[in-house]
Amino acid sequence: MSYISRAIGAAAVTLAAFLYSGQSTNAQSTGDNETMDKPVFVMVHGTFQWAGQWQPLSTMLEDAGYEVIEASLTGLGEKEHLLSKETGLMTHILDVSNIMSWRDLSNVILVSHSYGGPVISGAAAHEPDRVKHLVFIDTVPLDHGENLIDGFGPDVYDVAKISVDKDGDGWVIPSDTLREAKPTMRPHPWKSYIERIDLPADTPDFAGTIIVATEGEVFSHMRNVQAPARAEKRGWDLVTVEGPHQLMEVSPSKEIVAEILLNIAKN
């Protein structure tokens, strides 16, 4: 997507404002050039969760002057009524890629938590020209042909699969499987864990950052094996932040994550 040149004359700006006044635009396409070049954060939640998971972190980003869009994935949060046996990783990838395309976003920082990592891996590949940076919070990016289990390891698979077979009718992961459930958490489609990602051969090498937490043994393989290897392969920064899996929800870890995100946005 092209940006308005900084060399554009004031008269042309005035004319454009007159011609397009009254039309609906997003926050990126209004105001001066600085506003138009400013990154927008698109936040993608993890297993069982919804858009509201991001509020403690989003508020800090918004207070710093950035637009934040929080996605609820199909079958979760306010979209819980759409859950079906066909809901999978590709469904959720399209949820996020469609947010970027329908809103005509550019300079996007895609931020994911947990299961959201595979989702933004696919969404970025669908809309590569719109993406500035990928951020993986206690999760990792996927390569073509992989699924979440390849990134998270056998411990997560074993815990989730036992729960799916015992209490999930063979197709959903009960919401209290991997950590204590909250009222906003909902059963998660098992298909999205095992469906393999299809990334085009020409998917670019995005800039990215992996942030790992320290609490919760079930995620040890992802943090200690997969995250370092995948960060090194891509030339990305790998940052460890003390705290639980849901770093963005509690202090002081959420403040540290906010600082990391703001630094990414400014550079």
Side-chain angles (χ1 to χ4, degrees), residues 105-123:
L105 301 177
S106 62
N107 215 15
V108 174
I109 300 174
L110 280 173
V111 183
S112 63
H113 175 244
S114 194
Y115 164 73
V119 176
I120 70 166
S121 294

Side-chain angles (χ1 to χ4, degrees), residues 144-161:
H144 174 73
E146 292 185 319
N147 60 22
L148 179 134
I149 302 304
D150 291 312
F152 273 64
D155 289 345
V156 171
Y157 176 85
D158 291 343
V159 172
K161 186 64 166 64

Side-chain angles (χ1 to χ4, degrees), residues 28-243:
Q28 281 197 307
S29 60
T30 60
D32 58 20
N33 290 332
E34 181 180 356
T35 300
M36 295 185 67
D37 288 342
K38 206 166 193 177
V40 56
F41 291 97
V42 175
M43 322 295 275
V44 183
H45 62 78
T47 308
F48 315 127
Q49 280 285 2
W50 73 302
Q53 177 191 27
W54 293 104
Q55 272 301 297
L57 179 61
S58 296
T59 299
M60 289 184 282
L61 302 177
E62 290 168 340
D63 287 347
Y66 291 91
E67 180 182 6
V68 181
I69 298 172
E70 301 158 336
S72 281
L73 302 175
T74 295
L76 298 153
E78 72 273 22
K79 298 180 180 178
E80 63 178 342
H81 59 292
L82 299 176
L83 180 65
S84 77
K85 292 182 179 180
E86 301 307 312
T87 305
L89 177 59
M90 181 54 69
T91 311
H92 294 155
I93 287 172
L94 292 175
D95 283 338
V96 177
S97 64
N98 282 344
I99 285 175
M100 291 190 287
S101 62
W102 278 82
R103 297 185 184 221
D104 196 19
L105 301 177
S106 62
N107 215 15
V108 174
I109 300 174
L110 280 173
V111 183
S112 63
H113 175 244
S114 194
Y115 164 73
V119 176
I120 70 166
S121 294
H126 272 245
E127 298 289 337
D129 294 338
R130 301 183 186 276
V131 175
K132 168 186 172 69
H133 201 100
L134 305 179
V135 180
F136 296 79
I137 299 177
D138 222 23
T139 184
V140 292
L142 294 187
D143 293 322
H144 174 73
E146 292 185 319
N147 60 22
L148 179 134
I149 302 304
D150 291 312
F152 273 64
D155 289 345
V156 171
Y157 176 85
D158 291 343
V159 172
K161 186 64 166 64
I162 290 171
S163 188
V164 167
D165 291 341
K166 180 181 178 183
D167 300 311
D169 294 329
W171 70 278
V172 291
I173 312 169
S175 57
D176 60 351
T177 298
L178 295 169
R179 64 183 177 101
E180 183 180 354
K182 294 184 176 182
T184 54
M185 292 168 63
R186 294 294 182 268
H188 191 98
W190 175 240
K191 180 180 178 180
S192 70
Y193 266 43
I194 58 176
E195 184 177 349
R196 297 195 174 276
I197 197 167
D198 184 9
L199 299 178
D202 60 351
T203 298
D205 296 326
F206 297 103
T209 301
I210 299 175
I211 303 169
V212 294
T214 56
E215 299 173 16
E217 287 299 317
V218 73
F219 301 109
S220 294
H221 176 79
M222 178 270 292
R223 293 167 181 161
N224 299 328
V225 178
Q226 296 296 334
R230 291 169 192 254
E232 181 178 8
K233 175 182 177 181
R234 291 164 171 80
W236 290 1
D237 289 333
L238 174 63
V239 184
T240 297
V241 175
E242 295 287 333

